Amino acid sequence: MARGDRTTLADVAADAGVSVSTASLAFSGAGPVAPKTREKVLASAARLGYRGPDPVARSLRRGETGVIAVVVGDRLQRSFSDPVSTQTLDGIAQELGERGLGLLLVPSDTFGDVPPLLRHGAMDAAIIAGLSAPGDPALRALRERGVPVVCIEATRRDASTVEIQDRAGTAELTGELVALGHTRIAVITLPFGPQRHRRFFDPAGDVRPAYTPTRNRWAGVRDAGVLPVLAVEPATSLVDEGVACGRMLLDRPDRPTAVVAASDLLAAGVLLAARDLGLRVPEDVSVAGFDGVDLPWLAPDVLTSVTQPLTEKGRTAARAAAALAAGEKPRHHLLPVTLRTGTTTGPAPR
Amino acid sequence: MARGDRTTLADVAADAGVSVSTASLAFSGAGPVAPKTREKVLASAARLGYRGPDPVARSLRRGETGVIAVVVGDRLQRSFSDPVSTQTLDGIAQELGERGLGLLLVPSDTFGDVPPLLRHGAMDAAIIAGLSAPGDPALRALRERGVPVVCIEATRRDASTVEIQDRAGTAELTGELVALGHTRIAVITLPFGPQRHRRFFDPAGDVRPAYTPTRNRWAGVRDAGVLPVLAVEPATSLVDEGVACGRMLLDRPDRPTAVVAASDLLAAGVLLAARDLGLRVPEDVSVAGFDGVDLPWLAPDVLTSVTQPLTEKGRTAARAAAALAAGEKPRHHLLPVTLRTGTTTGPAPR
DNA sequence: GTGAAAGCGCTAACAG
DNA sequence: CTGTTAGCGCTTTCAC
């Protein structure tokens, strides 16, 4: 509400010569009101320039705000460079919009300080849309306030969750590569946790990333019976980073014949790096990604990838949040993925 | 707030053996409270699991919500494919975050139905971040409610505005091309208005796009003394569209020697189209854009462009919204641009 | 079908 | 420094 001297329901009621309660009913429609009376009230409202019930007062009275907070990565410019984020957010926004719920966008890293809004903002529930590691302070802050939470791509008790078949999807994808005869396969994972750095790691070692999808997609590779010849943890899941990781993997004598990247953006980067190094894809090296996002600027290539239903993921999360706000119990959702064979994978070179 | 039986300030006050008002002061810090008393109150709060004042009640009492609505294009996935949008939003989010204000994200086209949230949502002010044409129903709805509005890149009375030097910047850029000897220059504008379509239009005709930046950037071209040999209105300002427009312009015998696109994304598309047609840039054709966004996947090319301060634009809009919410009068802001000479422009071929 | 009354949880005068 | 008092604007029993 704009500050200042609004006309209130009481003014309207007075003008119409009815009681406030009757005027209220005329607006909300809840309860029996004589058509004539309603007309009168509406007319008075129009005359006085009354814009309908004050949302804040209504919220206070009804005990609900109609607002769902959506927590995304701290740097929007970065988060939103990833179609995975934007498409998910789009799904959330669509579903919330259709339900008349508000979307409070809260940028917050899942480590470090929690923005005051998360502690004090008005909300009925929250969706943590960015990657969230165990002990996530944002999640903790929300819990302490008693705000019900939906986590996307994170395994949590006491919260609703929306996940996809990361593990099975990656296993299937990797299996395809094996079937094509590849034995020297390299992997680029997702970032392991909040402290981001680019590095080789020992694929035979004890690999336990804090982030759930990172862990699951890695497990999927192993499920396919593959022990990567090289494994890189990237600092982010963006194109630039894919280029950098691609160089590390491809610009060496013992380069692999196939690279499985845990995201399409990373895979796209690898593709660019390969082109830059004069390698043909897929003749010299196969490249596969994950997410199934649309990357038109990669044309004429189309990434071989695992397609996940991003918009539906967002919608599911939004529905889950609405359900929690309505007092339902937390639930866990698992969405299916499908393999998409593009132009970037082929038989292993001999 | 989660629904249900919260413990309230009254409970805490009772437990601590003080009055509600004192307890309130202990939390807000406004007003003198004996340190000891404060301790007592805080202790009681902790014991009872009190999470601090209910934001809704506080809003009702104070008459302000601490929420700024940000209106963006209807399809987030599309809007956020444009770095111009995301970077601006990032600026808005940064500034609002620092001020402890909430960001209510409202996807809405600037024509057609207005989402209920805009009519009934709780907010102190709104920023219309997408392109907005005169008569924009979202703007009108906000006005009717008495919500103060900030428009980005749109000229409006009764609203604060944040604009950049679209016209002068484009004129300078076009001037460079002229200086390089180009005489056959083609132009791709921004979309003219809400009804989007791709088409050639008569550059010598009466050109009056509804969208302010479209109008101003076109005017800038003319200011440079250039009458384009070909002019295209694009349906969107995205890469795909740039490719399509680029084809229309370059795949013909009388092709121009330079293309000025009104956005970097469009220019990037033209570049891709040129590469695809086997044209060398800038030897065969020069390509220039506008916005100065970072397009790493265009490497090794860097677009010649006009750089606008996108993050600052967002921050300025957010500050303006906060000012309006605080009761200040609308103001108009104009931000400077700078020319960035990249690798995509060169002397006109003979 | 309509009205009176009781708050939702908090803050801000104003007294003491 | 602390307590009393009065609402913010609305919805919702509950009588009539």
Side-chain angles (χ1 to χ4, degrees):
Chain A
M1 299 299 43
R3 45 183 46 267
D5 28 43
R6 292 169 51 74
T7 77
T8 81
L9 192 54
D11 300 332
V12 176
D15 183 273
V18 300
S19 72
V20 225
S21 50
T22 303
S24 174
L25 294 186
F27 275 99
S28 68
V33 180
K36 269 187 171 173
T37 314
R38 169 196 304 270
E39 288 304 319
K40 239 183 349 186
V41 173
L42 263 31
S44 293
R47 174 147 20 87
L48 300 180
Y50 179 70
R51 311 296 168 207
D54 180 308
V56 177
R58 172 198 288 260
S59 293
L60 179 59
R61 182 61 238 245
R62 313 228 307 198
E64 59 186 43
T65 64
V67 169
I68 307 294
V70 177
V71 182
V72 298
D74 193 17
R75 289 258 79 84
L76 295 189
Q77 192 190 341
R78 174 139 44 82
S79 304
F80 292 173
S81 304
D82 190 346
V84 172
S85 302
T86 56
Q87 218 167 313
T88 305
L89 189 65
D90 195 10
I92 294 174
Q94 286 175 30
E95 187 74 34
L96 292 182
E98 288 166 14
R99 293 163 177 263
L101 294 170
L103 193 171
L104 187 71
L105 191 69
V106 185
S108 164
D109 271 319
T110 57
F111 62 99
D113 291 340
V114 175
L117 243 84
L118 235 36
R119 298 198 186 289
H120 306 299
M123 59 188 73
D124 293 337
I127 298 172
I128 297 188
L131 289 173
S132 160
D136 178 352
L139 178 56
R140 180 164 28 214
L142 259 4
R143 276 246 181 80
E144 278 173 6
R145 282 182 62 182
V147 174
V149 174
V150 177
C151 288
I152 295 184
E153 284 287 58
T155 319
R156 297 280 178 280
R157 309 205 148 280
D158 291 355
S160 284
T161 58
V162 180
E163 297 185 78
I164 58 161
Q165 296 177 325
D166 289 296
R167 186 164 178 166
T170 308
E172 190 182 353
L173 177 70
T174 309
E176 286 294 302
L177 256 12
V178 171
L180 285 167
H182 291 275
T183 52
R184 302 185 47 74
I185 298 177
V187 166
I188 305 174
T189 65
L190 292 175
F192 276 29
Q195 55 294 336
R196 282 135 184 278
H197 42 228
R198 180 188 317 143
R199 53 152 195 150
F200 280 109
F201 67 90
D202 176 10
D206 189 29
V207 182
R208 281 182 210 268
Y211 291 149
T212 303
T214 310
R215 206 165 50 238
N216 287 341
R217 294 183 195 178
W218 171 256
V221 171
R222 303 308 318 276
D223 287 350
V226 167
L227 179 64
V229 291
L230 288 170
V232 175
E233 175 192 352
T236 68
S237 176
L238 302 178
V239 176
D240 280 1
E241 186 66 17
V243 172
C245 295
R247 284 226 164 71
M248 287 168 64
L249 256 18
L250 299 177
D251 194 10
R252 47 191 298 154
D254 60 341
R255 71 177 146 76
T257 63
V259 178
V260 176
S263 85
D264 281 353
L265 252 34
L266 289 169
V270 174
L271 205 67
L272 295 183
R275 285 181 185 168
D276 201 48
L277 291 168
L279 297 172
R280 292 165 306 159
V281 175
E283 291 78 3
D284 298 322
V285 60
S286 285
V287 179
F290 195 109
D291 292 331
V293 298
D294 194 31
L295 264 21
W297 45 265
L298 224 44
D301 275 315
V302 175
L303 276 175
T304 294
S305 183
V306 176
T307 299
Q308 60 163 315
L310 287 167
T311 306
E312 186 52 33
K313 190 157 124 184
R315 295 193 95 112
T316 303
R319 278 193 295 267
L324 290 176
E328 294 181 22
K329 292 221 187 70
R331 288 216 288 202
H332 301 281
H333 305 263
L334 183 66
L335 269 32
V337 300
T338 58
L339 190 63
R340 177 185 79 188
T341 303
T343 64
T344 60
T345 44
R350 292 180 315 136
Chain B
M1 302 292 45
R3 44 185 45 266
D5 28 44
R6 292 169 50 75
T7 76
T8 80
L9 193 54
D11 301 333
V12 176
D15 183 273
V18 300
S19 74
V20 235
S21 54
T22 303
S24 175
L25 293 185
F27 275 98
S28 69
V33 180
K36 271 187 170 173
T37 315
R38 168 195 302 270
E39 289 303 320
K40 242 186 341 187
V41 173
L42 263 31
S44 293
R47 175 146 20 88
L48 299 181
Y50 179 70
R51 310 297 166 207
D54 179 310
V56 176
R58 171 197 288 258
S59 292
L60 179 59
R61 182 61 241 245
R62 313 225 312 197
E64 58 185 44
T65 64
V67 169
I68 307 293
V70 178
V71 182
V72 298
D74 194 16
R75 289 258 79 82
L76 294 189
Q77 192 189 340
R78 173 139 46 83
S79 305
F80 292 173
S81 304
D82 190 344
V84 172
S85 303
T86 56
Q87 219 168 312
T88 305
L89 189 65
D90 195 8
I92 293 174
Q94 286 175 29
E95 187 74 33
L96 292 182
E98 288 166 13
R99 291 163 178 262
L101 294 170
L103 193 171
L104 187 71
L105 191 69
V106 185
S108 163
D109 271 319
T110 58
F111 61 100
D113 291 341
V114 175
L117 242 84
L118 235 37
R119 297 197 185 290
H120 306 300
M123 60 187 71
D124 293 337
I127 298 173
I128 297 188
L131 289 173
S132 160
D136 178 353
L139 177 56
R140 180 163 28 212
L142 259 3
R143 277 248 180 79
E144 277 173 6
R145 282 183 62 183
V147 173
V149 174
V150 178
C151 288
I152 296 184
E153 284 287 59
T155 319
R156 297 279 177 281
R157 306 204 149 280
D158 292 356
S160 284
T161 58
V162 180
E163 298 185 77
I164 58 161
Q165 296 177 325
D166 289 296
R167 185 163 178 164
T170 308
E172 189 182 354
L173 177 71
T174 309
E176 286 293 304
L177 256 10
V178 172
L180 284 167
H182 292 274
T183 52
R184 301 185 48 74
I185 298 177
V187 166
I188 304 174
T189 65
L190 291 175
F192 277 29
Q195 56 292 334
R196 282 134 185 279
H197 41 228
R198 181 188 316 143
R199 53 151 196 151
F200 281 108
F201 66 91
D202 176 10
D206 189 28
V207 182
R208 283 181 208 267
Y211 291 150
T212 303
T214 310
R215 206 165 49 238
N216 287 340
R217 293 183 197 178
W218 171 257
V221 171
R222 303 307 316 277
D223 286 350
V226 167
L227 179 65
V229 292
L230 288 170
V232 175
E233 174 192 354
T236 68
S237 176
L238 301 178
V239 177
D240 281 3
E241 186 66 17
V243 172
C245 295
R247 283 224 166 72
M248 287 167 65
L249 256 19
L250 299 177
D251 194 11
R252 48 190 298 154
D254 61 340
R255 70 175 147 77
T257 63
V259 177
V260 175
S263 84
D264 280 354
L265 252 33
L266 288 169
V270 174
L271 205 67
L272 295 182
R275 286 182 185 168
D276 201 49
L277 291 168
L279 297 172
R280 293 164 305 159
V281 174
E283 291 79 2
D284 298 322
V285 59
S286 285
V287 178
F290 194 108
D291 292 333
V293 299
D294 194 32
L295 264 22
W297 45 265
L298 224 45
D301 274 315
V302 174
L303 276 175
T304 293
S305 184
V306 175
T307 300
Q308 60 163 315
L310 288 166
T311 306
E312 186 52 32
K313 191 158 124 183
R315 296 193 94 115
T316 303
R319 278 193 295 266
L324 290 177
E328 295 181 21
K329 291 220 186 70
R331 288 216 288 202
H332 302 281
H333 305 262
L334 183 66
L335 271 32
V337 301
T338 58
L339 189 63
R340 178 185 80 188
T341 303
T343 63
T344 59
T345 45
R350 291 181 314 137

